[in-house]
Amino acid sequence: MTENRSTEIRRVCEALFDTYTQVAANDVDELQRLIDPRGYTKGKLHQENVRYRHCPQAKAALDVLVSAHSTYISPSGQKWFSLKSRQHQLTPYGKKNRISDWYNKTTEITNNELSDSNFYTTLQEVYTDRCLGGTGACYIGGDETKPLHFIHVPLGSFAIAEDAQGKVNMLVRKFRYTPEQAAHQWGMDNLPEHVRDAYADIQRRYTEKIEFVHLVRPREDGVRGSQDIPEELREYEGIYADTKNYHIIHHEGYFEFPYLVTRFLKGNDSAYGVAPGLGVIPIIRQLMKLERLLDTQAEVATFPRVLQLAGQNRQVDMRAGAITTVSPDEASLGFPREWGTQGRYDIGLDRIKAKEELIDQAYYVHMLNAISSVDRQMTATEINARESEKVLAFSPSFTLFISDFQPAMRRIISILYRKGQLPKEGMPDELFHVDSNGNVTVMNPNVSYLGKIAQAIERVQRRGIDQALETIIGYTQATGDGSMLQALQPRQIARYVVEASGAPYDILRTDVELEAMDAQAAQMQMAQMEAEQQQMQMAAADKGASAIEKLSR
């Protein structure tokens, strides 16, 4: 049974990696070689010209895009996301209720736990893989000492598959442990014989690297739930094995899919993402060739080639300040002389600039520069004009990140729930589903993203309300007719603006405060009406008394 199980695991893992090789591996290897040689193997690097083995311009553009992900999507130390209720009717605009308070507290707790973990350093590596090869991944786990812990899965070391909805639900990754690490992780008795032999050799125990796989996939009969489910029945199973014989070393069960897998773009039926640099690979190669040629031309201009007569061999002194003596006949023929130094260096520079522009466009460099400059004193019209087309060009990638990050956020919230980190009071029923057997499942939370790119996209999408308000206010000022303003709900608009801007929710008044204000305003209005009515009655009485007095005269 164990042998059949090992054979089945081998076939699954090899099939996943074979698919990766067919649809993505070549492109990923080429992009790593041309742009970021850190992830490229040393053996392959030694086959290339060491001097020109990657393109600095493409690497700089990649770094801008990666940095923008960290700065504009998930900035460390800032509030870049907010958990919100899906039941909008329970959270009226302009008010906060107990459900909103619970989500706000949970957002703060989650933010703090992510900051206390290695989330941001790991996510930086995931972003690099996402922007370089199109797909980035990391493991989401934790232990008794650290509720949350993240492990980066390097580009090219994993393969994935999707469910019918396009969500990644299966992943196998390769990694290497020393025999000592393997024994510490799984116990000596669980290791295959060749690993135990390596452990017994003191020279190999701490230095030799042995390859293993970790396969995570959904169980056909897995029970969905977020706690109190035996490990062997949980929704996802995890299997550790060595790659030599696929000896099964360890089994695990997961309540949720434990990996974050994010794709840059998807343009076909493949589970893997499309890298932004894929379309400019020929441009990168041409740029690298142009740089080599221009370097050669600059060297020739600095240290020119010399054409000499056969009889002048070893007679031309090329040292600085040296004197070379030639005969009158040689001088009349113009030898020795510079040779082959002509060339249009300026044309080469123009071609390089054009190709660098194409690479920058592929990595959204100009769009990101536009976003980073909106903090200056600019009018709304200038901001909209600068951001509109460029931001919307990045919107599909950002939207895909939101979709890919949804299962990861559910995993994070579920871990904190099991660790007892979430507020006990006011837990909303909408976030927790209880089945007929009493199993509690944490549902996908509603996440609102507040980073700069989200805000920039929101500004473009919010242009409609800005234009509507501008038109209504202009009409009201021009005509003095306030009926159009009466059709608006100011508190709903205020709520929308606060949520879209990422401002703290504390600036919004609570339900109690708003109800007290409404009651106070109603009382004041009633008192004013009563006072006005009394004044009218008194005025009428005075008028009547005056009339009687006149008649009596």
Side-chain angles (χ1 to χ4, degrees):
M1 181 67 180
T2 303
E3 183 177 353
N4 292 337
R5 178 74 163 163
S6 297
T7 301
E8 190 256 343
I9 296 302
R10 177 197 291 270
R11 293 177 62 185
V12 171
C13 294
E14 290 180 349
L16 289 172
F17 277 114
D18 286 346
T19 302
Y20 169 74
T21 300
Q22 294 172 10
V23 303
N26 291 335
D27 293 334
V28 170
D29 285 346
E30 182 71 354
L31 288 167
Q32 285 182 313
R33 184 185 70 84
L34 293 174
I35 300 176
D36 190 5
R38 293 183 308 161
Y40 213 56
T41 62
K42 293 182 179 180
K44 291 182 179 179
L45 279 177
H46 288 330
Q47 299 172 8
E48 305 294 331
N49 186 318
V50 176
R51 188 178 180 187
Y52 296 101
R53 63 190 182 196
H54 76 284
C55 177
Q57 177 65 27
K59 180 62 168 63
L62 172 68
D63 290 342
V64 169
L65 184 56
V66 172
S67 176
H69 275 65
S70 298
T71 304
Y72 301 148
I73 295 180
S74 56
S76 174
Q78 299 181 28
K79 183 180 178 182
W80 57 274
F81 71 91
S82 177
L83 303 176
K84 297 174 10 180
S85 170
R86 293 186 181 277
Q87 304 297 328
H88 298 293
Q89 67 272 19
L90 298 179
T91 311
Y93 284 100
K95 296 184 177 181
K96 293 195 306 182
N97 52 30
R98 287 192 297 269
I99 293 178
S100 296
D101 290 339
W102 188 90
Y103 278 110
N104 292 338
K105 292 176 183 177
T106 301
T107 298
E108 184 177 355
I109 291 171
T110 306
N111 247 322
N112 291 338
E113 291 295 338
L114 291 176
S115 297
D116 292 341
S117 70
N118 64 331
F119 172 74
Y120 290 103
T121 55
T122 303
L123 193 61
Q124 178 76 11
E125 298 297 327
V126 174
Y127 283 152
T128 300
D129 292 347
R130 182 180 194 259
C131 298
L132 176 61
T135 308
C138 72
Y139 174 79
I140 307 171
D143 52 33
E144 296 301 326
T145 59
K146 296 179 179 179
L148 293 175
H149 184 71
F150 301 84
I151 301 175
H152 171 236
V153 183
L155 186 64
S157 69
F158 64 91
I160 58 176
E162 295 177 323
D163 62 14
Q165 286 73 43
K167 301 290 186 182
V168 176
N169 68 340
M170 185 181 299
L171 182 146
V172 58
R173 68 181 177 101
K174 293 180 179 180
F175 62 98
R176 299 194 300 165
Y177 272 169
T178 64
E180 192 278 333
Q181 290 173 321
H184 176 77
Q185 183 71 18
W186 301 305
M188 183 67 69
D189 295 338
N190 296 317
L191 300 180
E193 183 178 357
H194 70 95
V195 181
R196 294 198 300 268
D197 292 341
Y199 183 90
D201 187 344
I202 194 64
Q203 291 183 333
R204 301 167 59 193
R205 180 184 301 177
Y206 303 102
T207 57
E208 182 174 328
K209 290 287 188 177
I210 300 173
E211 190 172 68
F212 301 91
V213 294
H214 181 212
L215 171 66
V216 176
R217 60 182 180 178
R219 282 193 174 97
E220 294 183 1
D221 55 351
V223 178
R224 185 182 174 109
S226 297
Q227 65 175 2
D228 300 331
I229 297 176
E231 199 165 10
E232 66 274 9
L233 298 179
R234 293 173 187 170
E235 187 175 1
Y236 292 90
E237 68 170 340
I239 301 166
Y240 289 92
D242 69 309
T243 57
K244 183 177 181 180
N245 301 313
Y246 277 84
H247 171 88
I248 297 177
I249 299 172
H250 182 66
H251 283 91
E252 288 183 344
Y254 306 102
F255 296 103
E256 309 87 20
F257 187 66
Y259 284 96
L260 162 64
V261 180
T262 174
R263 285 74 60 91
F264 190 84
L265 283 175
K266 289 193 67 180
N268 47 46
D269 60 354
S270 169
Y272 299 93
V274 178
L278 188 62
V280 291
I281 287 179
I283 304 298
I284 294 174
R285 292 199 193 103
Q286 294 168 12
L287 177 60
M288 294 169 68
K289 181 178 180 180
L290 276 172
E291 288 178 338
R292 288 197 297 270
L293 293 175
L294 285 191
D295 280 355
T296 300
Q297 185 175 352
E299 291 173 357
V300 169
T302 306
F303 308 102
R305 303 182 183 95
V306 175
L307 185 65
Q308 62 185 20
L309 297 173
Q312 293 176 326
N313 188 31
R314 298 183 181 276
Q315 294 182 11
V316 179
D317 194 338
M318 299 296 296
R319 294 176 298 175
I323 297 176
T324 299
T325 303
V326 297
S327 66
D329 293 338
E330 292 171 338
S332 64
L333 295 174
F335 291 97
R337 62 170 177 245
E338 292 182 4
W339 170 75
T341 58
Q342 294 81 11
R344 293 293 305 273
Y345 193 83
D346 56 331
I347 294 178
L349 288 178
D350 290 341
R351 292 194 64 198
I352 284 179
K353 184 177 180 180
K355 296 185 185 304
E356 289 178 345
E357 181 77 12
L358 292 175
I359 293 172
D360 286 346
Q361 290 177 5
Y363 284 95
Y364 301 88
V365 172
H366 301 300
M367 184 275 292
L368 296 170
N369 287 338
I371 294 177
S372 64
S373 62
V374 300
D375 288 336
R376 298 187 296 107
Q377 297 297 323
M378 299 172 62
T379 65
T381 303
E382 290 175 326
I383 293 175
N384 286 332
R386 173 170 293 188
E387 293 180 350
S388 180
E389 296 181 359
K390 296 178 180 179
V391 172
L392 290 178
F394 191 73
S395 180
S397 179
F398 178 68
T399 302
L400 185 56
F401 171 81
I402 292 175
S403 175
D404 288 339
F405 196 76
Q406 187 74 38
M409 182 59 76
R410 174 175 174 254
R411 168 77 170 167
I412 292 168
I413 296 298
S414 298
I415 290 176
L416 296 179
Y417 168 69
R418 289 190 289 271
K419 297 290 185 181
Q421 301 287 333
L422 302 186
K424 297 291 190 300
E425 183 178 356
M427 281 189 174
D429 294 336
E430 66 182 56
L431 191 61
F432 302 93
H433 173 74
V434 182
D435 64 15
S436 58
N437 297 321
N439 296 320
V440 179
T441 301
V442 177
M443 307 302 291
N444 284 330
N446 184 18
V447 184
S448 175
Y449 292 86
L450 309 173
K452 267 197 171 184
I453 287 182
Q455 292 181 33
I457 294 174
E458 182 70 26
R459 274 193 292 268
V460 174
Q461 296 173 341
R462 200 177 61 197
R463 190 182 306 172
I465 191 173
D466 292 338
Q467 291 177 346
L469 288 174
E470 184 178 350
T471 301
I472 292 173
I473 293 172
Y475 172 83
T476 302
Q477 291 175 343
T479 64
D481 181 5
S483 58
M484 294 181 69
L485 286 175
Q486 295 173 0
L488 301 178
Q489 299 183 26
R491 290 180 178 177
Q492 181 173 344
I493 296 173
R495 177 86 176 195
Y496 178 83
V497 171
V498 170
E499 290 179 349
S501 66
Y505 285 104
D506 291 341
I507 68 175
L508 292 174
R509 296 185 183 275
T510 64
D511 286 350
V512 176
E513 291 172 336
L514 288 172
E515 290 171 0
M517 289 178 59
D518 291 342
Q520 184 179 5
Q523 291 176 0
M524 292 178 63
Q525 185 176 6
M526 182 65 70
Q528 184 178 357
M529 290 176 60
E530 292 177 353
E532 289 177 353
Q533 187 174 5
Q534 290 178 0
Q535 289 178 358
M536 290 175 61
Q537 292 175 353
M538 292 176 62
D542 291 342
K543 186 175 181 181
S546 177
I548 293 173
E549 183 179 355
K550 288 181 179 181
L551 290 174
S552 64
R553 292 177 183 176

